[in-house]
Protein backbone atom coordinates (compact mmCIF):
# COMPACT_ATOMS: atom_id res chain seq x y z
CA UNK A 1 0.00 0.00 0.00
CA UNK A 2 1.38 3.48 -0.89
CA UNK A 3 1.90 6.32 1.63
CA UNK A 4 -1.30 8.14 0.66
CA UNK A 5 -3.36 5.00 1.02
CA UNK A 6 -1.85 4.40 4.43
CA UNK A 7 -2.72 7.90 5.55
CA UNK A 8 -6.31 7.64 4.30
CA UNK A 9 -6.94 4.29 5.88
CA UNK A 10 -5.33 4.97 9.29
CA UNK A 11 -5.95 8.66 10.19
CA UNK A 12 -8.66 9.12 12.88
CA UNK A 13 -10.80 12.23 12.68
CA UNK A 14 -11.60 13.99 15.98
CA UNK A 15 -14.33 16.46 15.11
CA UNK A 16 -15.46 19.70 16.68
CA UNK A 17 -18.73 21.24 15.49
CA UNK A 18 -19.33 24.99 15.31
CA UNK A 19 -22.75 26.50 14.57
CA UNK A 20 -26.03 27.76 15.95
CA UNK A 21 -28.63 25.80 17.89
CA UNK A 22 -30.90 24.85 14.92
CA UNK A 23 -28.08 23.92 12.54
CA UNK A 24 -26.33 21.81 15.19
CA UNK A 25 -29.53 19.84 15.83
CA UNK A 26 -30.16 19.26 12.13
CA UNK A 27 -26.55 18.23 11.58
CA UNK A 28 -26.69 15.79 14.49
CA UNK A 29 -29.81 14.07 13.08
CA UNK A 30 -28.33 13.82 9.60
CA UNK A 31 -24.97 12.59 10.89
CA UNK A 32 -26.55 10.01 13.19
CA UNK A 33 -28.73 8.53 10.40
CA UNK A 34 -25.86 8.40 7.90
CA UNK A 35 -22.97 7.22 10.07
CA UNK A 36 -22.07 3.59 9.56
CA UNK A 37 -19.20 1.18 8.86
CA UNK A 38 -16.42 2.14 6.46
CA UNK A 39 -14.21 5.22 6.37
CA UNK A 40 -16.61 7.17 8.62
CA UNK A 41 -16.19 4.62 11.39
CA UNK A 42 -12.97 6.50 12.26
CA UNK A 43 -14.90 9.78 12.79
CA UNK A 44 -15.45 10.77 16.43
CA UNK A 45 -17.47 13.82 17.54
CA UNK A 46 -15.56 15.43 20.40
CA UNK A 47 -17.25 18.77 21.24
CA UNK A 48 -19.53 21.53 19.98
CA UNK A 49 -19.40 25.34 20.10
CA UNK A 50 -22.16 27.95 19.97
CA UNK A 51 -21.38 31.44 18.66
CA UNK A 52 -20.71 34.24 21.18
CA UNK A 53 -23.86 35.73 22.60
CA UNK A 54 -26.12 32.66 22.16
CA UNK A 55 -27.86 31.27 25.18
CA UNK A 56 -26.26 27.95 25.99
CA UNK A 57 -28.03 27.29 29.21
CA UNK A 58 -29.72 24.31 27.55
CA UNK A 59 -27.49 22.06 25.54
CA UNK A 60 -28.42 21.45 21.91
CA UNK A 61 -29.44 18.06 20.68
CA UNK A 62 -25.87 16.77 20.80
CA UNK A 63 -24.75 14.70 23.74
CA UNK A 64 -21.39 16.51 23.71
CA UNK A 65 -19.51 19.15 25.75
CA UNK A 66 -20.72 22.58 24.58
CA UNK A 67 -18.59 25.74 24.61
CA UNK A 68 -19.50 29.40 23.98
CA UNK A 69 -17.03 29.67 21.09
CA UNK A 70 -14.62 27.63 19.06
CA UNK A 71 -11.54 29.06 20.84
CA UNK A 72 -12.58 27.62 24.19
CA UNK A 73 -13.49 24.36 22.46
CA UNK A 74 -10.03 24.02 20.90
CA UNK A 75 -8.33 25.09 24.15
CA UNK A 76 -10.13 22.40 26.13
CA UNK A 77 -9.79 19.78 23.36
CA UNK A 78 -6.50 20.30 21.54
CA UNK A 79 -6.79 16.83 20.01
CA UNK A 80 -9.47 18.10 17.59
CA UNK A 81 -8.08 17.92 14.04
CA UNK A 82 -11.25 18.72 12.06
CA UNK A 83 -13.88 21.44 12.53
CA UNK A 84 -17.28 21.33 10.85
CA UNK A 85 -19.10 24.66 10.51
CA UNK A 86 -22.88 24.02 10.25
CA UNK A 87 -24.48 27.50 10.19
CA UNK A 88 -22.98 28.87 6.97
CA UNK A 89 -22.65 32.41 8.45
CA UNK A 90 -19.95 34.22 6.35
CA UNK A 91 -18.49 36.15 9.28
CA UNK A 92 -17.99 33.03 11.35
CA UNK A 93 -16.53 31.11 8.42
CA UNK A 94 -14.03 33.95 7.78
CA UNK A 95 -12.98 33.97 11.41
CA UNK A 96 -12.47 30.20 11.41
CA UNK A 97 -10.35 30.37 8.28
CA UNK A 98 -8.12 33.02 9.83
CA UNK A 99 -7.77 31.67 13.37
CA UNK A 100 -7.82 27.84 13.10
CA UNK A 101 -4.38 26.23 13.64
CA UNK A 102 -2.76 24.80 10.47
CA UNK A 103 -3.21 21.18 11.59
CA UNK A 104 -7.00 21.61 11.95
CA UNK A 105 -9.07 20.97 8.81
CA UNK A 106 -12.10 23.20 8.21
CA UNK A 107 -15.18 21.67 6.55
CA UNK A 108 -17.82 24.26 5.73
CA UNK A 109 -21.55 23.61 5.79
CA UNK A 110 -21.96 23.00 2.04
CA UNK A 111 -19.10 20.49 1.96
CA UNK A 112 -20.36 18.70 5.08
CA UNK A 113 -23.85 18.34 3.62
CA UNK A 114 -22.38 17.03 0.38
CA UNK A 115 -20.32 14.31 2.09
CA UNK A 116 -23.17 13.32 4.40
CA UNK A 117 -25.41 12.95 1.36
CA UNK A 118 -22.83 10.69 -0.27
CA UNK A 119 -22.59 8.67 2.92
CA UNK A 120 -26.38 8.25 3.10
CA UNK A 121 -26.45 7.09 -0.52
CA UNK A 122 -23.64 4.61 0.10
CA UNK A 123 -25.32 3.17 3.16
CA UNK A 124 -28.60 2.83 1.28
CA UNK A 125 -26.78 1.05 -1.57
CA UNK A 126 -25.12 -1.31 0.90
CA UNK A 127 -28.48 -2.08 2.52
CA UNK A 128 -30.01 -2.82 -0.88
CA UNK A 129 -27.05 -5.00 -1.75
CA UNK A 130 -27.45 -6.97 1.47
CA UNK A 131 -31.18 -7.43 0.80
CA UNK A 132 -30.52 -8.49 -2.79
CA UNK A 133 -27.85 -10.98 -1.72
CA UNK A 134 -30.16 -12.45 0.91
CA UNK A 135 -33.01 -12.72 -1.62
CA UNK A 136 -30.75 -14.40 -4.18
CA UNK A 137 -29.45 -16.84 -1.57
CA UNK A 138 -32.96 -17.72 -0.41
CA UNK A 139 -34.19 -18.20 -4.00
CA UNK A 140 -31.22 -20.42 -4.88
CA UNK A 141 -31.75 -22.49 -1.72
CA UNK A 142 -35.43 -22.99 -2.50
CA UNK A 143 -34.78 -23.92 -6.15
CA UNK A 144 -31.99 -26.34 -5.21
CA UNK A 145 -34.23 -28.03 -2.62
CA UNK A 146 -36.96 -28.80 -5.19
CA UNK A 147 -37.00 -32.36 -6.56
CA UNK A 148 -38.06 -31.17 -10.00
CA UNK A 149 -35.41 -30.48 -12.63
CA UNK A 150 -35.27 -26.73 -13.27
CA UNK A 151 -33.38 -25.21 -16.21
CA UNK A 152 -33.00 -21.55 -17.14
CA UNK A 153 -32.73 -21.07 -20.91
CA UNK A 154 -32.12 -18.22 -23.29
CA UNK A 155 -34.24 -17.79 -26.41
CA UNK A 156 -31.83 -19.98 -28.40
CA UNK A 157 -32.48 -22.91 -26.09
CA UNK A 158 -29.05 -22.68 -24.43
CA UNK A 159 -28.77 -23.38 -20.70
CA UNK A 160 -28.01 -20.37 -18.50
CA UNK A 161 -28.36 -22.17 -15.18
CA UNK A 162 -29.81 -25.22 -13.44
CA UNK A 163 -30.67 -26.47 -9.97
CA UNK A 164 -28.96 -29.28 -8.05
CA UNK A 165 -31.46 -31.88 -9.27
CA UNK A 166 -30.28 -31.44 -12.87
CA UNK A 167 -26.64 -31.62 -11.79
CA UNK A 168 -27.22 -34.88 -9.91
CA UNK A 169 -29.18 -36.50 -12.75
CA UNK A 170 -26.74 -35.54 -15.50
CA UNK A 171 -23.52 -36.01 -13.55
CA UNK A 172 -22.22 -32.73 -15.01
CA UNK A 173 -20.74 -29.76 -13.18
CA UNK A 174 -22.76 -26.54 -13.16
CA UNK A 175 -20.21 -24.85 -15.42
CA UNK A 176 -20.45 -27.78 -17.86
CA UNK A 177 -24.21 -27.33 -18.15
CA UNK A 178 -24.03 -23.66 -19.10
CA UNK A 179 -24.13 -23.17 -22.86
CA UNK A 180 -25.50 -26.63 -23.70
CA UNK A 181 -28.73 -27.14 -25.59
CA UNK A 182 -31.81 -28.54 -23.88
CA UNK A 183 -31.75 -31.67 -26.06
CA UNK A 184 -28.20 -32.43 -24.90
CA UNK A 185 -29.33 -32.29 -21.28
CA UNK A 186 -32.07 -34.82 -22.06
CA UNK A 187 -29.48 -37.13 -23.62
CA UNK A 188 -27.42 -37.04 -20.42
CA UNK A 189 -30.58 -37.89 -18.47
CA UNK A 190 -31.32 -40.71 -20.96
CA UNK A 191 -34.74 -39.20 -21.63
CA UNK A 192 -36.79 -39.05 -24.78
CA UNK A 193 -37.25 -35.34 -25.64
CA UNK A 194 -40.94 -34.49 -25.27
CA UNK A 195 -42.79 -33.85 -28.50
CA UNK A 196 -46.13 -32.78 -27.13
CA UNK A 197 -49.36 -34.62 -27.75
CA UNK A 198 -49.74 -36.12 -31.19
CA UNK A 199 -48.51 -33.58 -33.69
CA UNK A 200 -48.11 -30.82 -31.08
CA UNK A 201 -44.83 -28.93 -31.13
CA UNK A 202 -42.09 -29.03 -28.55
CA UNK A 203 -43.17 -26.97 -25.49
CA UNK A 204 -40.02 -24.80 -25.64
CA UNK A 205 -40.71 -23.96 -29.27
CA UNK A 206 -44.36 -23.31 -28.44
CA UNK A 207 -43.39 -20.86 -25.68
CA UNK A 208 -41.00 -19.05 -28.04
CA UNK A 209 -43.72 -18.76 -30.67
CA UNK A 210 -46.64 -17.75 -28.45
CA UNK A 211 -44.94 -16.21 -25.43
CA UNK A 212 -47.24 -18.34 -23.26
CA UNK A 213 -46.59 -21.31 -20.90
CA UNK A 214 -46.64 -24.74 -22.52
CA UNK A 215 -46.23 -28.38 -21.49
CA UNK A 216 -45.78 -31.86 -22.95
CA UNK A 217 -45.40 -35.49 -21.93
CA UNK A 218 -42.06 -37.30 -22.19
CA UNK A 219 -40.87 -40.83 -21.41
CA UNK A 220 -37.67 -42.60 -20.42
CA UNK A 221 -36.45 -46.11 -19.70
CA UNK A 222 -34.00 -46.44 -16.81
CA UNK A 223 -31.01 -48.85 -16.80
CA UNK A 224 -33.23 -51.49 -15.18
CA UNK A 225 -35.72 -51.34 -18.05
CA UNK A 226 -38.44 -49.62 -16.05
CA UNK A 227 -40.68 -47.07 -17.73
CA UNK A 228 -40.81 -43.48 -16.44
CA UNK A 229 -43.15 -40.64 -17.38
CA UNK A 230 -42.50 -36.97 -16.89
CA UNK A 231 -44.03 -33.62 -17.74
CA UNK A 232 -41.97 -30.75 -19.14
CA UNK A 233 -43.37 -27.29 -18.41
CA UNK A 234 -41.95 -24.15 -20.03
CA UNK A 235 -42.66 -20.66 -18.70
CA UNK A 236 -41.74 -17.38 -20.43
CA UNK A 237 -39.80 -14.61 -18.65
CA UNK A 238 -40.50 -11.18 -20.13
CA UNK A 239 -38.29 -8.12 -19.75
CA UNK A 240 -39.39 -4.71 -21.03
CA UNK A 241 -42.27 -6.30 -22.90
CA UNK A 242 -40.22 -8.90 -24.81
CA UNK A 243 -39.42 -12.57 -24.21
CA UNK A 244 -35.95 -12.68 -22.66
CA UNK A 245 -35.66 -16.13 -21.06
CA UNK A 246 -37.52 -19.40 -20.59
CA UNK A 247 -37.76 -21.54 -17.45
CA UNK A 248 -38.11 -25.29 -18.11
CA UNK A 249 -39.33 -27.53 -15.28
CA UNK A 250 -39.33 -31.32 -15.58
CA UNK A 251 -41.52 -33.25 -13.11
CA UNK A 252 -41.55 -37.03 -12.73
CA UNK A 253 -45.19 -38.22 -12.89
CA UNK A 254 -44.57 -41.98 -13.03
CA UNK A 255 -46.39 -42.71 -9.77
CA UNK A 256 -49.31 -40.48 -10.73
CA UNK A 257 -49.53 -42.13 -14.15
CA UNK A 258 -49.53 -45.56 -12.52
CA UNK A 259 -52.41 -44.55 -10.24
CA UNK A 260 -54.34 -43.11 -13.18
CA UNK A 261 -53.81 -46.30 -15.21
CA UNK A 262 -55.05 -48.43 -12.33
CA UNK A 263 -58.06 -46.20 -11.88
CA UNK A 264 -58.89 -46.54 -15.57
CA UNK A 265 -58.49 -50.30 -15.29
CA UNK A 266 -60.82 -50.36 -12.29
CA UNK A 267 -63.40 -48.44 -14.30
CA UNK A 268 -63.05 -50.93 -17.15
CA UNK A 269 -63.48 -53.82 -14.73
CA UNK A 270 -66.62 -52.26 -13.33
CA UNK A 271 -68.07 -51.96 -16.83
CA UNK A 272 -67.06 -55.54 -17.64
CA UNK A 273 -68.71 -56.76 -14.45
CA UNK A 274 -71.99 -55.13 -15.42
CA UNK A 275 -71.88 -56.81 -18.83
CA UNK A 276 -70.76 -60.24 -17.64
CA UNK A 277 -74.24 -61.43 -16.66
CA UNK A 278 -75.68 -60.26 -19.96
CA UNK A 279 -72.86 -61.95 -21.88
CA UNK A 280 -73.34 -65.22 -20.01
CA UNK A 281 -77.07 -65.34 -20.70
CA UNK A 282 -77.33 -63.81 -24.17
CA UNK A 283 -74.24 -65.35 -25.79
CA UNK A 284 -73.57 -68.66 -24.07
CA UNK A 285 -77.10 -69.94 -24.61
CA UNK A 286 -77.07 -69.58 -28.43
CA UNK A 287 -73.43 -70.73 -28.40
CA UNK A 288 -74.54 -73.94 -26.66
CA UNK A 289 -77.19 -74.44 -29.34
CA UNK A 290 -74.65 -73.90 -32.14
CA UNK A 291 -72.28 -76.46 -30.61
CA UNK A 292 -75.10 -78.97 -30.10
CA UNK A 293 -76.37 -78.75 -33.67
CA UNK A 294 -72.83 -78.96 -35.05
CA UNK A 295 -72.19 -82.16 -33.06
CA UNK A 296 -75.47 -83.56 -34.28
CA UNK A 297 -74.60 -82.81 -37.90
CA UNK A 298 -71.21 -84.48 -37.49
CA UNK A 299 -72.99 -87.74 -36.65
CA UNK A 300 -75.01 -87.56 -39.84
CA UNK A 301 -74.26 -90.35 -42.33
CA UNK A 302 -73.10 -89.64 -45.87
CA UNK A 303 -71.52 -86.32 -44.78
CA UNK A 304 -68.95 -85.29 -47.38
CA UNK A 305 -65.38 -84.31 -46.41
CA UNK A 306 -65.83 -80.57 -47.02
CA UNK A 307 -68.88 -80.30 -44.82
CA UNK A 308 -67.12 -82.31 -42.10
CA UNK A 309 -64.20 -79.87 -42.08
CA UNK A 310 -66.51 -76.86 -41.84
CA UNK A 311 -68.36 -78.40 -38.90
CA UNK A 312 -65.04 -79.09 -37.16
CA UNK A 313 -64.14 -75.41 -37.58
CA UNK A 314 -67.52 -74.35 -36.14
CA UNK A 315 -66.98 -76.57 -33.09
CA UNK A 316 -63.39 -75.37 -32.58
CA UNK A 317 -64.38 -71.71 -32.78
CA UNK A 318 -67.33 -72.33 -30.48
CA UNK A 319 -65.03 -73.88 -27.90
CA UNK A 320 -62.59 -70.96 -28.26
CA UNK A 321 -65.41 -68.47 -27.78
CA UNK A 322 -66.60 -70.39 -24.73
CA UNK A 323 -63.09 -70.23 -23.23
CA UNK A 324 -63.02 -66.47 -23.78
CA UNK A 325 -66.38 -66.11 -22.07
CA UNK A 326 -65.13 -68.21 -19.15
CA UNK A 327 -62.06 -65.98 -18.85
CA UNK A 328 -64.21 -62.88 -18.81
CA UNK A 329 -66.54 -64.29 -16.18
CA UNK A 330 -63.64 -65.51 -14.03
CA UNK A 331 -61.90 -62.17 -14.36
CA UNK A 332 -64.91 -60.12 -13.25
CA UNK A 333 -66.00 -62.53 -10.53
CA UNK A 334 -64.78 -61.57 -7.03
CA UNK A 335 -61.81 -63.73 -6.11
CA UNK A 336 -62.13 -66.06 -3.18
CA UNK A 337 -59.65 -65.00 -0.52
CA UNK A 338 -58.12 -68.39 0.15
CA UNK A 339 -55.61 -68.02 2.95
CA UNK A 340 -52.42 -69.95 2.68
CA UNK A 341 -48.66 -69.89 2.83
CA UNK A 342 -46.63 -70.28 -0.31
CA UNK A 343 -43.04 -71.49 -0.66
CA UNK A 344 -42.01 -69.58 -3.78
CA UNK A 345 -38.91 -71.72 -4.28
CA UNK A 346 -41.01 -74.86 -4.36
CA UNK A 347 -43.60 -73.30 -6.69
CA UNK A 348 -40.82 -72.11 -9.02
CA UNK A 349 -39.16 -75.55 -9.16
CA UNK A 350 -42.43 -77.45 -9.74
CA UNK A 351 -43.70 -75.03 -12.39
CA UNK A 352 -40.40 -74.94 -14.29
CA UNK A 353 -40.26 -78.72 -14.33
CA UNK A 354 -43.81 -78.81 -15.66
CA UNK A 355 -43.05 -76.23 -18.40
CA UNK A 356 -39.55 -77.46 -19.28
CA UNK A 357 -40.77 -79.69 -22.13
CA UNK A 358 -42.38 -76.73 -23.91
CA UNK A 359 -39.24 -74.67 -23.35
CA UNK A 360 -36.94 -77.35 -24.80
CA UNK A 361 -39.16 -77.78 -27.83
CA UNK A 362 -38.62 -74.08 -28.62
CA UNK A 363 -34.86 -74.24 -27.90
CA UNK A 364 -35.22 -71.97 -24.89
CA UNK A 365 -32.58 -72.40 -22.19
CA UNK A 366 -34.00 -72.21 -18.69
CA UNK A 367 -32.34 -71.30 -15.41
CA UNK A 368 -33.59 -71.30 -11.84
CA UNK A 369 -32.05 -69.01 -9.23
CA UNK A 370 -33.64 -69.55 -5.83
CA UNK A 371 -32.65 -67.44 -2.86
CA UNK A 372 -31.83 -69.37 0.29
CA UNK A 373 -33.66 -68.69 3.55
CA UNK A 374 -36.53 -67.08 1.67
CA UNK A 375 -39.61 -66.42 3.84
CA UNK A 376 -42.93 -67.88 2.82
CA UNK A 377 -45.42 -65.63 1.07
CA UNK A 378 -48.97 -64.94 2.21
CA UNK A 379 -50.74 -66.47 -0.80
CA UNK A 380 -52.47 -69.56 -2.09
CA UNK A 381 -49.80 -71.69 -3.88
CA UNK A 382 -52.23 -72.59 -6.69
CA UNK A 383 -52.91 -68.92 -7.47
CA UNK A 384 -49.18 -68.15 -7.62
CA UNK A 385 -48.60 -71.20 -9.79
CA UNK A 386 -51.35 -69.98 -12.13
CA UNK A 387 -49.64 -66.58 -12.39
CA UNK A 388 -46.21 -68.14 -12.96
CA UNK A 389 -47.48 -70.43 -15.72
CA UNK A 390 -49.02 -67.43 -17.45
CA UNK A 391 -45.72 -65.51 -17.25
CA UNK A 392 -43.72 -68.48 -18.57
CA UNK A 393 -46.13 -68.89 -21.49
CA UNK A 394 -45.74 -65.20 -22.33
CA UNK A 395 -41.96 -65.54 -22.21
CA UNK A 396 -41.97 -68.59 -24.50
CA UNK A 397 -44.30 -66.90 -26.97
CA UNK A 398 -41.90 -63.95 -27.07
CA UNK A 399 -39.03 -66.28 -28.12
CA UNK A 400 -40.35 -68.51 -30.94
CA UNK A 401 -36.82 -68.85 -32.37
CA UNK A 402 -35.23 -69.73 -29.05
CA UNK A 403 -33.52 -67.78 -26.32
CA UNK A 404 -33.05 -67.89 -22.56
CA UNK A 405 -35.46 -67.67 -19.64
CA UNK A 406 -34.56 -67.20 -15.99
CA UNK A 407 -36.82 -67.68 -12.96
CA UNK A 408 -35.59 -66.25 -9.69
CA UNK A 409 -36.79 -65.74 -6.14
CA UNK A 410 -35.44 -63.04 -3.85
CA UNK A 411 -36.34 -60.42 -1.26
CA UNK A 412 -37.10 -56.97 -2.62
CA UNK A 413 -37.60 -54.47 0.14
CA UNK A 414 -40.45 -55.66 2.32
CA UNK A 415 -41.79 -58.11 -0.30
CA UNK A 416 -40.92 -61.63 -1.40
CA UNK A 417 -40.29 -61.49 -5.15
CA UNK A 418 -40.78 -64.07 -7.89
CA UNK A 419 -39.27 -62.97 -11.21
CA UNK A 420 -39.46 -64.27 -14.78
CA UNK A 421 -36.97 -62.79 -17.25
CA UNK A 422 -36.59 -63.57 -20.96
CA UNK A 423 -34.29 -62.52 -23.79
CA UNK A 424 -37.09 -61.75 -26.22
CA UNK A 425 -37.52 -58.57 -28.28
CA UNK A 426 -38.83 -56.56 -25.35
CA UNK A 427 -42.00 -54.48 -25.20
CA UNK A 428 -42.17 -51.26 -27.25
CA UNK A 429 -42.32 -48.10 -25.18
CA UNK A 430 -45.51 -46.85 -26.81
CA UNK A 431 -47.58 -49.84 -25.62
CA UNK A 432 -45.85 -50.61 -22.34
CA UNK A 433 -48.40 -48.76 -20.23
CA UNK A 434 -51.25 -50.81 -21.74
CA UNK A 435 -50.00 -54.36 -21.27
CA UNK A 436 -51.89 -54.72 -17.96
CA UNK A 437 -55.14 -53.43 -19.46
CA UNK A 438 -57.98 -55.96 -19.96
CA UNK A 439 -58.40 -57.26 -23.53
CA UNK A 440 -55.09 -55.81 -24.72
CA UNK A 441 -52.97 -58.34 -26.54
CA UNK A 442 -50.13 -58.31 -29.08
CA UNK A 443 -50.51 -61.99 -29.96
CA UNK A 444 -53.60 -61.81 -32.11
CA UNK A 445 -55.26 -64.54 -30.07
CA UNK A 446 -56.79 -65.06 -26.65
CA UNK A 447 -58.77 -62.60 -24.58
CA UNK A 448 -55.84 -60.44 -23.48
CA UNK A 449 -56.58 -61.03 -19.80
CA UNK A 450 -53.37 -62.77 -18.70
CA UNK A 451 -51.39 -59.87 -17.25
CA UNK A 452 -54.57 -58.08 -16.19
CA UNK A 453 -55.56 -61.17 -14.18
CA UNK A 454 -52.08 -61.34 -12.62
CA UNK A 455 -52.32 -57.74 -11.48
CA UNK A 456 -55.80 -58.36 -10.08
CA UNK A 457 -54.51 -61.36 -8.11
CA UNK A 458 -51.53 -59.40 -6.76
CA UNK A 459 -53.74 -56.50 -5.72
CA UNK A 460 -56.14 -58.82 -3.93
CA UNK A 461 -53.21 -60.43 -2.08
CA UNK A 462 -51.80 -57.08 -0.99
CA UNK A 463 -48.81 -57.38 -3.31
CA UNK A 464 -47.79 -55.80 -6.59
CA UNK A 465 -46.43 -56.61 -10.04
CA UNK A 466 -43.57 -54.76 -11.73
CA UNK A 467 -42.59 -54.88 -15.38
CA UNK A 468 -39.16 -53.92 -16.76
CA UNK A 469 -38.31 -54.16 -20.43
CA UNK A 470 -35.74 -52.82 -22.88
CA UNK A 471 -36.34 -53.19 -26.61
CA UNK A 472 -33.96 -55.74 -28.10
CA UNK A 473 -32.82 -56.98 -24.68
CA UNK A 474 -35.83 -58.70 -23.10
CA UNK A 475 -38.49 -58.37 -20.45
CA UNK A 476 -38.63 -59.05 -16.70
CA UNK A 477 -41.87 -59.36 -14.73
CA UNK A 478 -41.71 -59.45 -10.92
CA UNK A 479 -44.46 -60.63 -8.60
CA UNK A 480 -44.15 -58.95 -5.20
CA UNK A 481 -45.90 -60.73 -2.34
CA UNK A 482 -46.18 -59.95 1.37
CA UNK A 483 -44.17 -62.38 3.52
CA UNK A 484 -45.58 -64.42 6.37
CA UNK A 485 -44.68 -62.53 9.54
CA UNK A 486 -43.45 -64.22 12.69
CA UNK A 487 -46.13 -62.52 14.77
CA UNK A 488 -48.83 -63.98 12.50
CA UNK A 489 -47.29 -67.44 12.85
CA UNK A 490 -47.15 -67.11 16.63
CA UNK A 491 -50.80 -66.09 16.86
CA UNK A 492 -51.88 -69.06 14.75
CA UNK A 493 -50.04 -71.47 17.07
CA UNK A 494 -51.68 -70.13 20.25
Amino acid sequence: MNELGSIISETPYLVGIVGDRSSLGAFWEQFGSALGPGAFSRVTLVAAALPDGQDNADKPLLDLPVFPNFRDMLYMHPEINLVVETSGVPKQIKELRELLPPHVILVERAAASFFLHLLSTEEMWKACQVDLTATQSMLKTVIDQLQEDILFLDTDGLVLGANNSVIQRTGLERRELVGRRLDEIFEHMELRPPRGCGECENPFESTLRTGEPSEALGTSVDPFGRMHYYRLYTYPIHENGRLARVVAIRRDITSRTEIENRLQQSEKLASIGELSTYIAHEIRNPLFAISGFANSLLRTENLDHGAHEKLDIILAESRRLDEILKSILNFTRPMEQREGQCDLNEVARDTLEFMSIAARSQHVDTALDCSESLPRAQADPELIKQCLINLIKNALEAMPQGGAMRIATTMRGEFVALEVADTGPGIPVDIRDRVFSPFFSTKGKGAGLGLAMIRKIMDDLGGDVHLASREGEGTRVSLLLPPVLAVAQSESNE
Side-chain angles (χ1 to χ4, degrees):
M1 182 180 295
N2 58 32
E3 184 177 354
L4 179 60
S6 177
I7 293 174
I8 293 175
S9 62
E10 296 177 3
T11 301
Y13 296 97
L14 305 177
V15 181
I17 307 175
V18 179
D20 54 29
R21 188 182 304 276
S22 60
S23 65
L24 284 176
F27 176 83
W28 176 251
E29 291 181 1
Q30 188 176 8
F31 187 86
S33 63
L35 191 61
F40 286 89
S41 63
R42 291 185 301 278
V43 175
T44 303
L45 296 181
V46 176
L50 290 171
D52 292 337
Q54 290 200 23
D55 182 13
N56 62 349
D58 296 326
K59 292 183 179 180
L61 300 177
L62 288 71
D63 187 16
L64 299 171
V66 179
F67 297 90
N69 55 67
F70 72 90
R71 301 178 193 83
D72 292 346
M73 180 181 71
L74 293 177
Y75 179 79
M76 296 301 298
H77 295 278
E79 72 275 13
I80 291 176
N81 57 11
L82 189 147
V83 171
V84 178
E85 203 286 321
T86 64
S87 67
V89 177
K91 179 181 178 181
Q92 184 166 268
I93 294 174
K94 180 180 179 182
E95 186 177 6
L96 287 171
R97 287 175 179 172
E98 293 175 350
L99 300 178
L100 281 179
H103 71 278
V104 177
I105 302 171
L106 174 63
V107 178
E108 299 177 15
R109 174 176 177 172
S113 299
F114 173 74
F115 286 114
L116 287 175
H117 176 72
L118 287 181
L119 180 60
S120 300
T121 304
E122 180 187 10
E123 293 303 314
M124 184 180 300
W125 176 82
K126 288 181 179 179
C128 293
Q129 186 180 37
V130 170
D131 290 343
L132 178 61
T133 302
T135 301
Q136 288 176 332
S137 177
M138 181 180 67
L139 180 61
K140 182 179 182 301
T141 301
V142 171
I143 291 176
D144 283 339
Q145 291 293 326
L146 295 176
Q147 296 181 353
E148 288 82 0
D149 302 324
I150 302 177
L151 293 157
F152 301 94
L153 312 170
D154 63 15
T155 53
D156 294 324
L158 301 180
V159 176
L160 300 174
N163 68 342
N164 281 341
S165 179
V166 176
I167 295 172
Q168 293 172 1
R169 292 181 187 276
T170 59
L172 299 174
E173 297 290 338
R174 197 180 298 272
R175 55 182 175 80
E176 295 177 303
L177 288 170
V178 176
R180 291 177 179 263
R181 299 195 66 82
L182 184 60
D183 291 347
E184 294 182 49
I185 304 302
F186 283 130
E187 290 177 4
H188 277 277
M189 292 182 178
E190 296 185 357
L191 304 175
R192 293 169 176 257
R195 298 300 179 187
C197 303
E199 299 299 325
C200 297
E201 60 186 322
N202 182 290
F204 174 75
E205 296 172 354
S206 175
T207 295
L208 286 183
R209 182 178 56 82
T210 64
E212 299 292 334
S214 183
E215 65 178 86
L217 177 69
T219 60
S220 69
V221 180
D222 64 20
F224 303 101
R226 296 173 301 187
M227 187 75 169
H228 293 262
Y229 294 89
Y230 66 91
R231 278 272 176 192
L232 180 66
Y233 305 87
T234 53
Y235 299 95
I237 304 297
H238 293 91
E239 293 181 4
N240 299 323
R242 65 179 185 86
L243 181 63
R245 293 175 182 82
V246 175
V247 178
I249 301 177
R250 171 195 173 275
R251 179 175 295 126
D252 193 315
I253 59 168
T254 305
S255 298
R256 188 182 76 185
T257 303
E258 173 71 10
I259 294 174
E260 291 174 352
N261 289 341
R262 292 202 176 194
L263 179 61
Q264 292 175 1
Q265 182 169 333
S266 298
E267 293 174 350
K268 288 182 180 179
L269 294 180
S271 300
I272 294 171
E274 295 176 359
L275 291 173
S276 60
T277 303
Y278 174 80
I279 291 174
H281 178 73
E282 299 295 334
I283 297 181
R284 297 192 76 181
N285 287 343
L287 183 62
F288 178 78
I290 293 173
S291 300
F293 282 116
N295 275 313
S296 177
L297 289 174
L298 280 174
R299 292 192 293 269
T300 303
E301 297 180 358
N302 301 323
L303 191 66
D304 60 57
H305 180 70
H308 196 281
E309 286 185 346
K310 292 175 183 177
L311 289 172
D312 285 337
I313 293 174
I314 292 175
L315 284 175
E317 292 301 311
S318 298
R319 285 192 293 269
R320 189 170 75 89
L321 183 56
D322 187 59
E323 289 298 322
I324 292 175
L325 291 174
K326 286 180 180 178
S327 299
I328 294 174
L329 294 175
N330 291 334
F331 185 73
T332 57
R333 187 178 297 121
M335 184 179 299
E336 296 181 7
Q337 294 294 332
R338 293 173 290 181
E339 296 184 1
Q341 298 181 9
C342 176
D343 185 341
L344 293 185
N345 288 339
E346 182 179 345
V347 170
R349 282 192 292 266
D350 293 346
T351 306
L352 183 59
E353 182 180 357
F354 170 68
M355 300 294 294
S356 60
I357 297 176
R360 286 195 297 269
S361 66
Q362 290 187 205
H363 306 287
V364 174
D365 297 327
T366 59
L368 181 62
D369 184 8
C370 293
S371 176
E372 299 296 332
S373 304
L374 193 71
R376 291 175 173 268
Q378 295 184 23
D380 179 20
E382 289 302 318
L383 280 178
I384 303 305
K385 187 174 183 179
Q386 173 187 342
C387 294
L388 184 55
I389 290 174
N390 205 322
L391 293 178
I392 292 175
K393 285 183 176 180
N394 288 345
L396 294 177
E397 290 174 353
M399 301 181 290
Q401 307 302 322
M405 178 177 62
R406 174 178 171 270
I407 300 176
T409 61
T410 185
M411 283 296 299
R412 184 181 295 181
E414 60 185 80
F415 293 103
V416 190
L418 176 60
E419 301 178 350
V420 177
D422 63 61
T423 59
I427 301 174
V429 173
D430 56 346
I431 67 170
R432 199 168 299 176
D433 59 339
R434 294 187 289 161
V435 296
F436 288 101
S437 298
F439 308 115
F440 178 81
S441 175
T442 60
K443 306 171 187 177
K445 60 180 181 179
L449 292 174
L451 288 176
M453 177 64 79
I454 290 175
R455 167 158 283 176
K456 184 173 184 294
I457 292 174
M458 291 299 106
D459 288 343
D460 290 344
L461 293 174
D464 202 355
V465 53
H466 288 177
L467 181 142
S469 182
R470 296 182 70 90
E471 293 187 58
E473 298 182 15
T475 301
R476 183 179 74 253
V477 181
S478 304
L479 306 181
L480 306 181
L481 295 159
V484 176
L485 302 181
V487 61
Q489 182 68 26
S490 300
E491 292 174 352
S492 63
N493 293 335
E494 292 178 354

